[in-house]
Amino acid sequence: MLALLALVIVLSFGVGPLRIPPGDVVHVIAHQVGLADAGTLTQRDISVVWNLRVPRALLAVIVGASLAMAGAGLQGLFGNPLADPGIVGVTHGAALGAVAAIVLGATVLGAWTIPVAAFAGGAVTTTLIYLLARPDRGGGTATLLLVGIAIAAGCSAAIGFFTYIARSDELQSLVFWQMGSLAMADWADLLAAMPAFAVGAIALTRLATPLDMLALGERQAQHIGLDVRRTRALLVAVCALLVGSAVAFAGVVGFVGLVVPHFVRLLAGPGHRWLLPLSGVTGGLLVVLADTAARSLDPPSEIPLGLFSAALGAPFFLWLVLRGRKRGGA
C-alpha cells in the first residue's frame, strides 16, 4: 500500500493543466535535492513541480491520513461505524473555528491562529457530541446521527452568519473552507501541518490497544484495567487535533473518515493495531487521487475537493444506513 501511495504521489506531480512526463518529474526532484543538474529542464517545469505540486500532493496525504485515522478513532470511541468526523459534526465545528478566526480578524497566535481555532472548534464539538450520544447512556446509531445533524446544522448556521457579515475580500477564503480545496497549498502550509499530524498520528496509534478494549464495552474495559475516562479524553483531544489540522489547511472534506476505515476493515480486520496506520495510508491515497482529479478535469479552473469526497461518500453512507436498518441496528 505504501508503494502504491508513493507511485500515485509521483504521478500526480506531472498531472494538471500543464502535463509533465514522469521522467522530467523525477529529474526535477533529483535536481532540487542536489542529485542531478538541471539539464534540459525549464524553469517553468521546475517551478510547477517543486513549488506547486509537491507541497500540494504531500499536504493531500496529510489531510487524507488525518481524516481517515480520526474517523477510525471516532468509530472506536463511539462504538459506532457511522461516526465519521463530517457526519457527526466535528468537521463543521473545526470549520466554524477557522471561519470565526478569519472574520473576527484573530491574529493572537500569528500563522497558528487559524489551525488552533480549528482544533478548538473540533475539540468542543467532539466533546459535546460524546456527552450527548454516549454509548453507555443508550446513545445508539440514531441518537448519534441526530446529535450530529443538529450540531452540524448549528455550526452551518453560525458559518452562514459569519459569511453574511464578512468583507468581500474574506468571502473567497470562507468558500474555500466550506467546500474544501488544496489550491492554496504551499511549503509553508505543509511544514505547519506536519507537526500536528505527526503528534496526532503517533498518539492515536499508541491508543490502538485501549481502542480494542473499548470495543468490548466501557464496563468490560474498566474491569480489565483500562482507565476509561482518561482514554476517552485522550481520544477526543487526538481526534480533534487531527480533524482540526486537516480542516485548517483543506477546508471541509467529508466522508473520508467514513469510507476508508470500512474499506480497510474488509482487508485487515477490526483490530486497531493495523486499522489505524492502514487507514492513514489509504486516506492519503484517496485524497491525492481526488485532488489530482479536481485540478485536472476542468482546467484552468478547479473543482472543489469536497465535491469529490461527497460524491464518493454519500452513496456509501446511504448503503451503510440501509444495511444497518435491515439488521435492525439503526
Side-chain angles (χ1 to χ4, degrees):
M1 191 66 80
L2 275 174
L4 178 61
L5 175 62
L7 176 63
V8 169
I9 290 173
V10 172
L11 292 177
S12 74
F13 294 160
V15 177
L18 175 64
R19 294 190 177 276
I20 300 175
D24 288 352
V25 169
V26 175
H27 193 175
V28 169
I29 296 173
H31 168 64
Q32 290 300 118
V33 298
L35 297 178
D37 296 326
T40 58
L41 294 173
T42 66
Q43 189 58 43
R44 182 193 62 176
D45 291 347
I46 294 174
S47 179
V48 167
V49 172
W50 189 254
N51 295 331
L52 299 178
R53 293 180 183 172
V54 170
R56 179 168 180 164
L58 296 181
L59 188 59
V61 173
I62 288 179
V63 168
S66 297
L67 293 174
M69 294 184 72
L74 288 173
Q75 288 166 18
L77 172 65
F78 286 102
N80 195 310
L82 296 180
D84 168 73
I87 294 173
V88 300
V90 180
T91 305
H92 292 79
L96 174 58
V99 167
I102 293 172
V103 176
L104 298 177
T107 58
V108 64
L109 297 176
W112 288 95
T113 301
I114 293 177
V116 171
F119 164 72
V124 170
T125 49
T126 304
T127 304
L128 185 59
I129 293 163
Y130 188 80
L131 292 176
L132 294 175
R134 288 179 59 169
D136 62 338
R137 293 184 179 177
T141 299
T143 302
L144 177 64
L145 292 179
L146 291 174
V147 169
I149 290 170
I151 290 180
C155 291
S156 296
I159 291 174
F161 171 74
F162 282 118
T163 303
Y164 175 73
I165 65 173
R167 300 192 307 270
S168 57
D169 60 322
E170 296 170 337
L171 291 177
Q172 185 176 0
S173 295
L174 300 187
V175 171
F176 158 81
W177 253 276
Q178 294 178 61
M179 301 186 71
S181 174
L182 287 165
M184 305 298 289
D186 56 20
W187 282 104
D189 288 343
L190 177 64
L191 294 176
M194 288 177 67
F197 170 69
V199 171
I202 292 173
L204 189 55
T205 303
R206 291 175 65 87
L207 290 169
T209 300
L211 278 168
D212 288 339
M213 296 167 73
L214 280 177
L216 302 173
E218 292 196 355
R219 183 169 298 177
Q220 289 81 354
Q222 201 160 13
H223 286 165
I224 58 178
L226 180 68
D227 187 339
V228 174
R229 180 174 298 182
R230 178 174 175 272
T231 301
R232 286 200 307 252
L234 285 173
L235 283 169
V236 168
V238 170
C239 291
L241 176 63
L242 289 170
V243 175
S245 62
V247 171
F249 296 103
V252 177
V253 181
F255 293 107
V256 175
L258 175 72
V259 175
V260 172
H262 279 276
F263 174 73
V264 173
R265 280 193 191 92
L266 295 176
L267 299 178
H272 289 85
R273 181 183 177 188
W274 290 107
L275 175 64
L276 291 169
L278 287 176
S279 292
V281 174
T282 308
L285 176 64
L286 178 64
V287 174
V288 169
L289 289 173
D291 181 60
T292 303
R295 58 184 164 83
S296 305
L297 293 180
D298 188 28
S301 61
E302 292 193 10
I303 302 171
L305 179 59
L307 298 186
F308 281 93
S309 61
L312 173 66
F316 185 78
F317 175 67
L318 183 60
W319 173 74
L320 284 177
V321 172
L322 294 177
R323 189 185 67 166
R325 186 176 173 182
K326 284 183 179 179
R327 293 180 177 179

PDB file of all heavy atoms in Angstrom, residues 271-291:
ATOM      1  N   GLY A 271      -9.045  -5.036  14.196  1.00  0.00           N
ATOM      2  CA  GLY A 271      -8.022  -4.671  15.185  1.00  0.00           C
ATOM      3  C   GLY A 271      -7.390  -3.325  14.862  1.00  0.00           C
ATOM      4  O   GLY A 271      -6.946  -3.099  13.734  1.00  0.00           O
ATOM      5  N   HIS A 272      -7.333  -2.425  15.868  1.00  0.00           N
ATOM      6  CA  HIS A 272      -6.856  -1.066  15.608  1.00  0.00           C
ATOM      7  C   HIS A 272      -5.347  -0.991  15.382  1.00  0.00           C
ATOM      8  O   HIS A 272      -4.853   0.018  14.888  1.00  0.00           O
ATOM      9  CB  HIS A 272      -7.254  -0.153  16.770  1.00  0.00           C
ATOM     10  CG  HIS A 272      -8.730   0.131  16.803  1.00  0.00           C
ATOM     11  ND1 HIS A 272      -9.634  -0.708  17.409  1.00  0.00           N
ATOM     12  CD2 HIS A 272      -9.455   1.154  16.275  1.00  0.00           C
ATOM     13  CE1 HIS A 272     -10.859  -0.214  17.277  1.00  0.00           C
ATOM     14  NE2 HIS A 272     -10.791   0.908  16.594  1.00  0.00           N
ATOM     15  N   ARG A 273      -4.607  -2.024  15.757  1.00  0.00           N
ATOM     16  CA  ARG A 273      -3.155  -2.008  15.537  1.00  0.00           C
ATOM     17  C   ARG A 273      -2.830  -1.825  14.059  1.00  0.00           C
ATOM     18  O   ARG A 273      -1.873  -1.141  13.697  1.00  0.00           O
ATOM     19  CB  ARG A 273      -2.542  -3.300  16.071  1.00  0.00           C
ATOM     20  CG  ARG A 273      -1.040  -3.375  15.902  1.00  0.00           C
ATOM     21  CD  ARG A 273      -0.499  -4.699  16.383  1.00  0.00           C
ATOM     22  NE  ARG A 273       0.922  -4.809  16.155  1.00  0.00           N
ATOM     23  CZ  ARG A 273       1.632  -5.918  16.339  1.00  0.00           C
ATOM     24  NH1 ARG A 273       1.017  -7.013  16.774  1.00  0.00           N
ATOM     25  NH2 ARG A 273       2.926  -5.933  16.102  1.00  0.00           N
ATOM     26  N   TRP A 274      -3.608  -2.491  13.203  1.00  0.00           N
ATOM     27  CA  TRP A 274      -3.401  -2.350  11.763  1.00  0.00           C
ATOM     28  C   TRP A 274      -4.410  -1.400  11.129  1.00  0.00           C
ATOM     29  O   TRP A 274      -4.139  -0.783  10.097  1.00  0.00           O
ATOM     30  CB  TRP A 274      -3.489  -3.723  11.089  1.00  0.00           C
ATOM     31  CG  TRP A 274      -2.334  -4.598  11.411  1.00  0.00           C
ATOM     32  CD1 TRP A 274      -2.321  -5.680  12.239  1.00  0.00           C
ATOM     33  CD2 TRP A 274      -0.983  -4.444  10.947  1.00  0.00           C
ATOM     34  NE1 TRP A 274      -1.064  -6.219  12.322  1.00  0.00           N
ATOM     35  CE2 TRP A 274      -0.225  -5.484  11.536  1.00  0.00           C
ATOM     36  CE3 TRP A 274      -0.354  -3.539  10.096  1.00  0.00           C
ATOM     37  CZ2 TRP A 274       1.144  -5.638  11.294  1.00  0.00           C
ATOM     38  CZ3 TRP A 274       1.006  -3.682   9.853  1.00  0.00           C
ATOM     39  CH2 TRP A 274       1.738  -4.726  10.450  1.00  0.00           C
ATOM     40  N   LEU A 275      -5.591  -1.309  11.720  1.00  0.00           N
ATOM     41  CA  LEU A 275      -6.633  -0.450  11.138  1.00  0.00           C
ATOM     42  C   LEU A 275      -6.190   1.012  11.074  1.00  0.00           C
ATOM     43  O   LEU A 275      -6.394   1.688  10.053  1.00  0.00           O
ATOM     44  CB  LEU A 275      -7.917  -0.560  11.978  1.00  0.00           C
ATOM     45  CG  LEU A 275      -9.070   0.361  11.573  1.00  0.00           C
ATOM     46  CD1 LEU A 275      -9.559   0.018  10.170  1.00  0.00           C
ATOM     47  CD2 LEU A 275     -10.211   0.271  12.574  1.00  0.00           C
ATOM     48  N   LEU A 276      -5.549   1.516  12.134  1.00  0.00           N
ATOM     49  CA  LEU A 276      -5.195   2.931  12.164  1.00  0.00           C
ATOM     50  C   LEU A 276      -4.126   3.293  11.134  1.00  0.00           C
ATOM     51  O   LEU A 276      -4.337   4.212  10.318  1.00  0.00           O
ATOM     52  CB  LEU A 276      -4.755   3.317  13.576  1.00  0.00           C
ATOM     53  CG  LEU A 276      -5.882   3.306  14.623  1.00  0.00           C
ATOM     54  CD1 LEU A 276      -5.304   3.440  16.022  1.00  0.00           C
ATOM     55  CD2 LEU A 276      -6.865   4.432  14.358  1.00  0.00           C
ATOM     56  N   PRO A 277      -2.967   2.611  11.108  1.00  0.00           N
ATOM     57  CA  PRO A 277      -1.961   3.008  10.101  1.00  0.00           C
ATOM     58  C   PRO A 277      -2.407   2.751   8.668  1.00  0.00           C
ATOM     59  O   PRO A 277      -2.136   3.580   7.773  1.00  0.00           O
ATOM     60  CB  PRO A 277      -0.730   2.165  10.479  1.00  0.00           C
ATOM     61  CG  PRO A 277      -1.243   1.055  11.319  1.00  0.00           C
ATOM     62  CD  PRO A 277      -2.439   1.580  12.014  1.00  0.00           C
ATOM     63  N   LEU A 278      -3.099   1.630   8.429  1.00  0.00           N
ATOM     64  CA  LEU A 278      -3.553   1.360   7.063  1.00  0.00           C
ATOM     65  C   LEU A 278      -4.622   2.362   6.626  1.00  0.00           C
ATOM     66  O   LEU A 278      -4.694   2.730   5.448  1.00  0.00           O
ATOM     67  CB  LEU A 278      -4.088  -0.066   6.957  1.00  0.00           C
ATOM     68  CG  LEU A 278      -3.026  -1.167   6.982  1.00  0.00           C
ATOM     69  CD1 LEU A 278      -3.678  -2.549   6.960  1.00  0.00           C
ATOM     70  CD2 LEU A 278      -2.084  -1.020   5.793  1.00  0.00           C
ATOM     71  N   SER A 279      -5.462   2.804   7.558  1.00  0.00           N
ATOM     72  CA  SER A 279      -6.437   3.845   7.223  1.00  0.00           C
ATOM     73  C   SER A 279      -5.717   5.141   6.847  1.00  0.00           C
ATOM     74  O   SER A 279      -6.133   5.844   5.919  1.00  0.00           O
ATOM     75  CB  SER A 279      -7.373   4.097   8.412  1.00  0.00           C
ATOM     76  OG  SER A 279      -8.216   2.993   8.646  1.00  0.00           O
ATOM     77  N   GLY A 280      -4.623   5.452   7.566  1.00  0.00           N
ATOM     78  CA  GLY A 280      -3.863   6.653   7.236  1.00  0.00           C
ATOM     79  C   GLY A 280      -3.300   6.600   5.835  1.00  0.00           C
ATOM     80  O   GLY A 280      -3.427   7.572   5.056  1.00  0.00           O
ATOM     81  N   VAL A 281      -2.705   5.481   5.467  1.00  0.00           N
ATOM     82  CA  VAL A 281      -2.117   5.343   4.121  1.00  0.00           C
ATOM     83  C   VAL A 281      -3.210   5.391   3.050  1.00  0.00           C
ATOM     84  O   VAL A 281      -3.083   6.094   2.035  1.00  0.00           O
ATOM     85  CB  VAL A 281      -1.322   4.029   4.023  1.00  0.00           C
ATOM     86  CG1 VAL A 281      -0.826   3.809   2.595  1.00  0.00           C
ATOM     87  CG2 VAL A 281      -0.141   4.050   4.989  1.00  0.00           C
ATOM     88  N   THR A 282      -4.302   4.668   3.282  1.00  0.00           N
ATOM     89  CA  THR A 282      -5.388   4.632   2.294  1.00  0.00           C
ATOM     90  C   THR A 282      -6.082   5.989   2.179  1.00  0.00           C
ATOM     91  O   THR A 282      -6.444   6.415   1.074  1.00  0.00           O
ATOM     92  CB  THR A 282      -6.413   3.553   2.686  1.00  0.00           C
ATOM     93  OG1 THR A 282      -5.740   2.312   2.915  1.00  0.00           O
ATOM     94  CG2 THR A 282      -7.426   3.343   1.573  1.00  0.00           C
ATOM     95  N   GLY A 283      -6.264   6.672   3.308  1.00  0.00           N
ATOM     96  CA  GLY A 283      -6.863   8.006   3.259  1.00  0.00           C
ATOM     97  C   GLY A 283      -5.998   8.978   2.475  1.00  0.00           C
ATOM     98  O   GLY A 283      -6.502   9.788   1.675  1.00  0.00           O
ATOM     99  N   GLY A 284      -4.673   8.917   2.680  1.00  0.00           N
ATOM    100  CA  GLY A 284      -3.771   9.767   1.897  1.00  0.00           C
ATOM    101  C   GLY A 284      -3.869   9.466   0.421  1.00  0.00           C
ATOM    102  O   GLY A 284      -3.922  10.380  -0.417  1.00  0.00           O
ATOM    103  N   LEU A 285      -3.928   8.187   0.085  1.00  0.00           N
ATOM    104  CA  LEU A 285      -4.043   7.787  -1.325  1.00  0.00           C
ATOM    105  C   LEU A 285      -5.336   8.316  -1.935  1.00  0.00           C
ATOM    106  O   LEU A 285      -5.343   8.861  -3.054  1.00  0.00           O
ATOM    107  CB  LEU A 285      -3.998   6.258  -1.407  1.00  0.00           C
ATOM    108  CG  LEU A 285      -4.201   5.623  -2.778  1.00  0.00           C
ATOM    109  CD1 LEU A 285      -3.073   6.027  -3.719  1.00  0.00           C
ATOM    110  CD2 LEU A 285      -4.264   4.105  -2.649  1.00  0.00           C
ATOM    111  N   LEU A 286      -6.448   8.202  -1.208  1.00  0.00           N
ATOM    112  CA  LEU A 286      -7.747   8.644  -1.723  1.00  0.00           C
ATOM    113  C   LEU A 286      -7.761  10.151  -1.984  1.00  0.00           C
ATOM    114  O   LEU A 286      -8.234  10.617  -3.033  1.00  0.00           O
ATOM    115  CB  LEU A 286      -8.844   8.275  -0.723  1.00  0.00           C
ATOM    116  CG  LEU A 286     -10.264   8.713  -1.084  1.00  0.00           C
ATOM    117  CD1 LEU A 286     -10.736   8.022  -2.347  1.00  0.00           C
ATOM    118  CD2 LEU A 286     -11.228   8.423   0.067  1.00  0.00           C
ATOM    119  N   VAL A 287      -7.241  10.937  -1.046  1.00  0.00           N
ATOM    120  CA  VAL A 287      -7.293  12.394  -1.210  1.00  0.00           C
ATOM    121  C   VAL A 287      -6.325  12.867  -2.297  1.00  0.00           C
ATOM    122  O   VAL A 287      -6.623  13.813  -3.034  1.00  0.00           O
ATOM    123  CB  VAL A 287      -7.019  13.098   0.136  1.00  0.00           C
ATOM    124  CG1 VAL A 287      -6.930  14.609  -0.047  1.00  0.00           C
ATOM    125  CG2 VAL A 287      -8.127  12.770   1.124  1.00  0.00           C
ATOM    126  N   VAL A 288      -5.173  12.215  -2.438  1.00  0.00           N
ATOM    127  CA  VAL A 288      -4.264  12.580  -3.542  1.00  0.00           C
ATOM    128  C   VAL A 288      -4.956  12.346  -4.884  1.00  0.00           C
ATOM    129  O   VAL A 288      -4.901  13.193  -5.791  1.00  0.00           O
ATOM    130  CB  VAL A 288      -2.955  11.765  -3.460  1.00  0.00           C
ATOM    131  CG1 VAL A 288      -2.139  11.947  -4.743  1.00  0.00           C
ATOM    132  CG2 VAL A 288      -2.136  12.207  -2.273  1.00  0.00           C
ATOM    133  N   LEU A 289      -5.623  11.203  -5.037  1.00  0.00           N
ATOM    134  CA  LEU A 289      -6.334  10.920  -6.289  1.00  0.00           C
ATOM    135  C   LEU A 289      -7.455  11.927  -6.525  1.00  0.00           C
ATOM    136  O   LEU A 289      -7.632  12.436  -7.638  1.00  0.00           O
ATOM    137  CB  LEU A 289      -6.908   9.496  -6.247  1.00  0.00           C
ATOM    138  CG  LEU A 289      -5.891   8.353  -6.334  1.00  0.00           C
ATOM    139  CD1 LEU A 289      -6.572   7.008  -6.100  1.00  0.00           C
ATOM    140  CD2 LEU A 289      -5.206   8.356  -7.700  1.00  0.00           C
ATOM    141  N   ALA A 290      -8.218  12.239  -5.473  1.00  0.00           N
ATOM    142  CA  ALA A 290      -9.331  13.181  -5.624  1.00  0.00           C
ATOM    143  C   ALA A 290      -8.822  14.578  -5.964  1.00  0.00           C
ATOM    144  O   ALA A 290      -9.392  15.272  -6.822  1.00  0.00           O
ATOM    145  CB  ALA A 290     -10.154  13.220  -4.332  1.00  0.00           C
ATOM    146  N   ASP A 291      -7.725  15.002  -5.311  1.00  0.00           N
ATOM    147  CA  ASP A 291      -7.198  16.341  -5.589  1.00  0.00           C
ATOM    148  C   ASP A 291      -6.609  16.425  -6.996  1.00  0.00           C
ATOM    149  O   ASP A 291      -6.742  17.453  -7.669  1.00  0.00           O
ATOM    150  CB  ASP A 291      -6.137  16.680  -4.545  1.00  0.00           C
ATOM    151  CG  ASP A 291      -5.572  18.078  -4.761  1.00  0.00           C
ATOM    152  OD1 ASP A 291      -6.372  19.045  -4.714  1.00  0.00           O
ATOM    153  OD2 ASP A 291      -4.364  18.210  -5.007  1.00  0.00           O
TER     154      ASP A 291
END
